[in-house]
């Protein structure tokens, strides 16, 4: 089916128009003729019913036919136009064609009668022009995109001879396109990319596949850069490779950043290793003398008759304890900063635990003349917690409450709250102490930060307690909040995931768990007449302290080294062995324990690791080597008796 072409004839002379009209007689079905007798009429028709082609007389009553040449923004003729004149003039024809008309004819009866043919030819020409313009347009867009692209574009022939480079290539390599075109891509070779790389590249692209990889290339000034490239073959319609197209990106900055990151990571790992090793050393070096200070002074408190001396010894004790608390805090912090995924949560009763846990602080508060109340609103509350962290966090907060309160006292309330179907336990620790200024509230949870700092510092402390408490609570999926009124007091609220259980029949007689009973027994200093302890320890003071702790309680022999311990165990059967892990000899306590375990009669003898801070990983390691428990140094007399009691 042929579409009817809409032809506008602009002709003021009726006779001419009739002649033209007759020429279309035979092809009436293909053309629809419209006539305009002047320019104004033609413009109106073009506006209302745009024609496919215009055939216009040059001279019109109200102007010239060239006024009907319409072009778009790319200077492309919108409607094809043929101009007719009554005279033949070469220069006029050239002028008209320049202006954009597609053809120019001199009116003659023959020509006017044969316009359909002329239209056919002109329309074909016009459609070819349109097609070409469209292609040019596409090519134009593509080349602008390639030229403005932020990636390097190179087109080569099949031998790697450069045919095109974009401005980004010029910018990165420093080679102008004039220089690069006609050269082999090997001008970029730096010698730092392997021959295998180039082999794999050419093998891949010659086989028609795309290749991707990274090069170290050389710029025109000899400096190097990293390029991430993708090279693909370009095929002609017959499927033959005609060119190769390389799209590349300068990744030097990325590479440098990667390298910096790697170096930084290496340094961080190194400093972490160093930190761990410093901590381990510090741990051992501080705990050993602390054991002497605390143990000896504890023994002296029990034995001295002179009141004035007792006071001095009590001070040695409290200073030693303070030193130990700081050490413990630093180690807790480093443990918290390592991967906390090993932490396992279980349900623990809160109220009874709290009463026992805070007993010591209650005594200190009472000695300061403060009240110390524990109000249990929900006695059946169980915390889904890691008990060690939970207790430590509460202790840190209560320690502050007692420390920063001069008059009034401390109230601790245990309660629960349902929030969106989840049960939460909450413990309020409220004091009537010095309070904290509002703008300092954010600072108190930062490590080593205190409200009063510098030389004017009023209170002792490492500034670690609250940051550790907060971290511990958050590791247990809880939250620590603070609310304070300067000069009036502070309330810390500990939120933790909780459950309800039936714990004891009524609040007056909350039953203690078996471990708690044992602790109380230990405090009562029960005698173990038949217990014979072997203590493997290279530090004489620690040996002395431990011996004195067990005076009148149990028999104890000390071995200065692992080898001596093995010999002693061969000669005598001990009921429990306390094994120092960091023995200053070639074999550590774990190896000595393994040897002793093999001796006859020692298969099931409890061997307890006595060591400084034992991280969870350490405890697992001891367990895996068949040690039965851990007694952390420096231990008190009660700790020691409790451990013997537990394992004997
Ligand atoms: P510190 O060892 O100094 O007590 P913390 O991290 O436990 O370190 O506490 C940080 C700071 O927060 C303290 O130095 C103190 O200024 C302030 N702070 C903590 N608890 C209280 C409190 N209950 N009342 C007033 N100030 C407190």
């Amino acid at each position: 089916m042929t579409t009817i072409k809409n032809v506008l004839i602009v002709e003021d002379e009726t006779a001419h128009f009739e002649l033209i009209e007759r020429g279309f007689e035979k092809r009436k079905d293909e053309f629809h003729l419209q006539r305009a007798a002047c320019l104004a009429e033609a413009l109106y028709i073009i506006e209302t019913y745009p024609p496919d082609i215009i055939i216009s007389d040059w001279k019109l009553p109200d102007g010239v036919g060239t006024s009907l040449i319409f072009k778009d923004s790319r200077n492309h003729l919108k409607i094809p136009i043929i101009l007719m004149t009554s005279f033949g003039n070469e220069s006029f024809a050239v002028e008209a064609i320049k202006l954009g008309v597609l053809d120019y004819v001199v009116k003659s009866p023959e020509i006017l009668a044969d316009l359909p043919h002329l239209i056919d030819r002109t329309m074909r020409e016009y459609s070819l022009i349109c097609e070409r313009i469209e292609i040019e347009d596409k090519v134009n867009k593509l080349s602008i995109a390639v030229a403005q692209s932020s990636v390097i574009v190179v087109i080569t022939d099949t031998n790697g001879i450069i045919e095109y480079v974009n401005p980004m290539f010029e910018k990165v390599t420093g080679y102008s396109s004039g220089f690069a075109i006609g050269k082999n891509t090997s001008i970029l070779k730096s010698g730092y990319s392997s021959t295998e790389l180039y082999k794999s590249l050419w093998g891949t692209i010659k086989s028609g596949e795309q290749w991707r990889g990274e090069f170290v290339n050389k710029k025109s000034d000899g400096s190097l850069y990293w390029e991430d490239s993708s090279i693909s073959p370009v095929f002609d319609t017959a499927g033959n490779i005609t060119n190769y197209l390389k799209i590349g990106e300068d990744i030097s900055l990325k590479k440098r950043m990667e390298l910096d990151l790697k170096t930084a990571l290496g340094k961080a790992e190194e400093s972490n290793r160093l930190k761990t090793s410093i901590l381990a050393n510090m741990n051992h070096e501080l705990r050993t003398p602390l054991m002497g200070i605390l143990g000896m002074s504890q023994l002296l408190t029990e034995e001295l008759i002179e009141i004035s001396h007792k006071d001095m010894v009590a001070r040695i004790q409290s200073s030693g304890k303070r030193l130990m608390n700081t050490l413990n805090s630093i180690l807790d912090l480093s443990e918290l900063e390592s991967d906390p995924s090993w932490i396992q949560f279980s349900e623990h009763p809160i109220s009874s635990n709290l009463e026992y846990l805070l007993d010591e602080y209650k005594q200190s508060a009472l000695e300061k003349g403060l009240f110390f109340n524990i109000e249990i609103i929900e006695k059946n509350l169980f915390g889904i917690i890691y008990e060690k962290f939970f207790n430590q966090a509460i202790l840190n907060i209560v320690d502050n409450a007692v420390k920063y309160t001069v008059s009034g006292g401390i109230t601790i309330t245990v309660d629960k709250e349902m929030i969106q179907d989840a049960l939460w336990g909450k413990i309020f620790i409220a004091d009537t102490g010095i309070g904290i200024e509002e703008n300092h509230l954010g600072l108190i949870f930062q490590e080593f930060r205190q409200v009063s700092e510098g030389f004017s510092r009023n209170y002792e402390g490492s500034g670690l307690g609250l940051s550790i408490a907060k971290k511990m609570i958050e590791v247990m999926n809880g939250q620590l909040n603070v609310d304070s009124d300067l000069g009036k007091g502070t309330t810390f609220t500990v939120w933790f995931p909780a459950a309800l259980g039936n714990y004891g029949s009524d609040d007056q007689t909350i039953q203690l768990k078996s471990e708690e009973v044992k602790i109380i027994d230990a405090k009562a200093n029960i005698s173990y007449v038949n217990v014979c302890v072997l203590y493997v320890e290279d530090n004489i003071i620690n040996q002395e302290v431990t011996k004195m702790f067990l005076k009148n309680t149990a028999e104890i022999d000390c071995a200065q080294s692992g080898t001596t311990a093995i010999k002693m165990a061969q000669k005598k059967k001990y009921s429990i062995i306390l094994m120092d892990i960091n023995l200053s000899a070639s074999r550590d306590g774990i190896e000595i324990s393994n040897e002793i375990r093999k001796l006859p009669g020692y298969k099931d003898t409890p061997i307890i690791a006595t060591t400084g801070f034992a991280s969870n990983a350490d405890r697992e390691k001891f367990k895996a080597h068949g040690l039965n428990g851990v007694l952390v140094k420096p231990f008190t007399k009660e700790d020691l008796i409790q451990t013997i009691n537990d394992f004997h």
Side-chain angles (χ1 to χ4, degrees):
M1 195 188 86
T2 48
T3 46
I4 298 174
K5 288 188 185 74
N6 189 17
V7 182
L8 172 63
I9 309 286
V10 190
E11 176 58 75
D12 55 336
E13 286 188 42
T14 311
H16 286 175
F17 179 71
E18 283 170 1
L19 198 59
I20 293 169
E21 209 175 21
R22 241 175 280 135
F24 282 89
E25 274 300 292
K26 282 194 193 132
R27 295 177 62 186
K28 263 208 301 249
D29 298 346
E30 291 174 55
F31 298 97
H32 171 252
L33 289 196
Q34 285 190 101
R35 180 190 172 196
C38 64
L39 209 52
E41 202 181 341
L43 288 170
Y44 176 76
I45 293 173
I46 290 167
E47 183 78 13
T48 49
Y49 187 51
D52 295 309
I53 187 161
I54 304 167
I55 300 172
S56 176
D57 200 4
W58 179 66
K59 223 166 173 206
L60 293 163
D62 52 353
V64 286
T66 44
S67 305
L68 300 175
I69 298 171
F70 299 106
K71 294 195 173 175
D72 63 16
S73 57
R74 296 161 302 169
N75 202 28
H76 172 48
L77 196 60
K78 279 187 182 170
I79 307 169
I81 179 163
I82 301 170
L83 221 56
M84 306 180 288
T85 58
S86 320
F87 56 90
N89 180 328
E90 194 74 2
S91 63
F92 178 80
V94 171
E95 204 49 41
I97 301 281
K98 261 193 197 163
L99 282 172
V101 299
L102 288 181
D103 212 342
Y104 160 81
V105 288
V106 179
K107 282 187 197 171
S108 71
E110 298 77 47
I111 285 178
L112 292 184
D114 195 29
L115 279 184
H117 274 117
L118 186 62
I119 289 175
D120 285 343
R121 207 182 61 218
T122 312
M123 291 293 274
R124 262 198 311 276
E125 222 171 88
Y126 182 70
S127 92
L128 280 176
I129 292 172
C130 288
E131 233 170 73
R132 203 195 63 225
I133 285 177
E134 212 169 293
I135 291 169
E136 271 174 14
D137 218 33
K138 268 189 197 161
V139 170
N140 216 14
K141 269 188 198 146
L142 269 173
S143 62
I144 289 175
V146 170
Q148 293 181 358
S149 167
S150 59
V151 293
I152 299 164
V153 180
V154 178
I155 299 173
T156 70
D157 67 9
T158 48
N159 295 315
I161 304 297
I162 299 172
E163 290 185 353
Y164 171 84
V165 294
N166 73 340
M168 189 45 102
F169 170 93
E170 297 180 305
K171 194 174 162 199
V172 172
T173 64
Y175 288 118
S176 68
S177 70
F179 175 85
I181 291 170
K183 303 271 181 332
N184 195 292
T185 46
S186 58
I187 53 166
L188 299 174
K189 264 193 178 177
S190 66
Y192 289 101
S193 296
S194 68
T195 345
E196 281 71 41
L197 186 91
Y198 289 102
K199 260 191 202 158
S200 112
L201 152 67
W202 280 105
T204 313
I205 57 174
K206 276 190 171 164
S207 70
E209 300 287 320
Q210 188 201 45
W211 183 90
R212 241 203 117 128
E214 290 176 357
F215 296 106
V216 181
N217 278 347
K218 197 169 70 181
K219 300 185 183 188
S220 64
D221 63 4
S223 62
L224 303 176
Y225 73 98
W226 275 93
E227 190 181 307
D228 180 15
S229 306
S230 152
I231 304 177
S232 8
V234 180
F235 300 95
D236 63 12
T237 42
N240 302 312
I241 299 175
T242 56
N243 294 85
Y244 294 116
L245 168 72
K246 178 177 89 166
I247 311 279
E249 196 188 348
D250 179 2
I251 52 162
S252 309
L253 191 66
K254 209 165 94 186
K255 282 277 172 191
R256 211 168 307 137
M257 279 162 77
E258 261 174 33
L259 194 71
D260 288 353
L261 260 177
K262 253 191 211 157
T263 322
L265 188 72
K267 275 191 188 153
E269 278 170 359
E270 179 56 29
S271 79
N272 208 22
R273 269 196 296 277
L274 205 66
K275 186 179 122 191
T276 314
S277 124
I278 290 172
L279 278 177
N281 284 346
M282 193 175 86
N283 193 12
H284 185 250
E285 287 313 307
L286 290 179
R287 270 177 208 276
T288 310
L290 269 173
M291 174 89 192
I293 296 168
L294 289 173
M296 287 294 188
S297 55
Q298 188 185 7
L299 289 166
L300 278 175
T301 336
E302 286 169 14
E303 295 194 2
L304 277 175
I305 320 129
E306 287 258 3
I307 296 293
S308 60
H309 287 174
K310 267 204 169 172
D311 205 37
M312 286 181 205
V313 172
R315 277 165 208 268
I316 298 177
Q317 272 271 303
S318 77
S319 306
K321 276 189 182 157
R322 193 175 137 205
L323 201 57
M324 199 175 76
N325 285 342
T326 308
L327 177 64
N328 283 339
S329 298
I330 293 172
L331 294 166
D332 280 341
L333 192 67
S334 80
E335 195 183 18
L336 271 171
E337 277 170 358
S338 63
D339 175 20
S341 57
W342 54 268
I343 297 172
Q344 289 192 345
F345 305 115
S346 49
E347 290 185 8
H348 291 274
I350 298 299
S351 49
S352 63
N353 175 35
L354 219 53
E355 304 265 3
Y356 174 74
L357 185 72
L358 300 180
D359 189 51
E360 204 176 313
Y361 285 101
K362 186 174 180 171
Q363 299 315 319
S364 323
L366 296 180
E367 276 167 26
K368 266 181 98 172
L370 306 172
F371 63 79
F372 193 94
N373 297 333
I374 301 182
E375 289 175 8
I376 310 282
I377 296 175
E378 178 51 70
K379 69 175 193 306
N380 289 327
L381 196 66
F382 281 70
I384 303 162
I385 52 176
Y386 176 57
E387 201 180 14
K388 181 186 159 196
F389 280 6
F390 185 80
N391 289 352
Q392 188 61 54
I394 299 284
L395 283 178
N396 287 4
I397 301 165
V398 174
D399 182 58
N400 281 339
V402 177
K403 182 157 90 178
Y404 297 108
T405 305
V406 202
S407 62
I410 292 103
T411 310
I412 295 161
T413 316
V414 179
D415 201 356
K416 65 169 191 305
E417 193 170 325
M418 280 298 279
I419 300 174
Q420 290 172 348
D421 290 340
L423 185 70
W424 288 87
K426 48 182 180 178
I427 299 180
F428 299 98
I429 298 150
D431 65 55
T432 57
I434 60 168
I436 305 163
E437 242 180 278
E438 203 178 333
N439 60 349
H440 283 141
L441 284 177
L443 176 141
I444 60 170
F445 294 113
Q446 291 172 26
E447 289 156 23
F448 301 105
R449 296 304 304 268
Q450 297 179 304
V451 170
S452 85
E453 289 174 345
F455 294 123
S456 60
R457 208 166 80 114
N458 299 326
Y459 293 89
E460 291 173 342
S462 58
L464 281 175
L466 283 181
S467 50
I468 290 175
K470 189 170 163 63
K471 279 195 175 123
M472 286 181 163
I473 291 164
E474 284 170 1
V475 161
M476 293 183 292
N477 305 313
Q479 208 176 316
L480 176 61
N481 298 333
V482 60
D483 198 9
S484 191
D485 232 347
L486 192 64
K488 291 196 178 137
T490 307
T491 301
F492 283 92
T493 314
V494 179
W495 291 87
F496 54 94
L500 283 182
N502 198 6
Y503 192 64
S505 46
D506 70 60
D507 53 355
Q508 294 307 312
T509 55
I510 291 169
Q511 305 217 329
L512 292 172
K513 289 196 297 180
S514 55
E515 299 103 89
E516 288 159 0
V517 176
K518 275 190 195 160
I519 294 165
I520 289 163
D521 281 353
K523 281 194 166 173
N525 199 0
I526 289 170
S527 282
Y528 296 93
V529 201
N530 293 323
V531 179
C532 189
V533 181
L534 173 62
Y535 184 28
V536 188
E537 168 65 80
D538 56 354
N539 184 286
I540 301 282
I541 300 175
N542 287 359
Q543 287 184 15
E544 291 296 312
V545 171
T546 313
K547 270 188 199 162
M548 284 198 251
F549 276 166
L550 291 183
K551 203 166 96 187
N552 307 327
T553 307
E555 191 188 328
I556 175 165
D557 289 340
C558 292
Q560 180 94 21
S561 71
T563 331
T564 320
I566 296 169
K567 281 185 193 147
M568 287 168 74
Q570 278 166 335
K571 285 194 197 131
K572 185 171 169 182
K573 171 74 184 85
Y574 291 95
S575 33
I576 185 162
I577 296 170
L578 303 176
M579 178 68 67
D580 182 23
I581 298 297
N582 303 86
L583 289 168
S584 50
S586 56
R587 290 187 299 170
D588 67 13
I590 296 180
E591 287 175 71
I592 303 298
S593 302
N594 284 337
E595 295 263 331
I596 295 180
R597 189 62 85 215
K598 288 183 208 148
L599 297 177
Y602 280 94
K603 193 169 151 272
D604 299 316
T605 308
I607 305 180
I608 311 299
T610 59
T611 174
F613 179 85
S615 69
N616 206 51
D618 294 338
R619 284 171 197 269
E620 287 299 319
K621 189 172 153 196
F622 300 157
K623 209 165 136 191
H625 282 89
L627 277 89
N628 304 77
V630 177
L631 177 61
V632 177
K633 279 193 216 166
F635 46 82
T636 60
K637 188 173 168 182
E638 288 76 22
D639 295 334
L640 176 63
I641 294 176
Q642 170 68 53
T643 307
I644 297 172
N645 193 14
D646 278 349
F647 289 96
H648 173 55

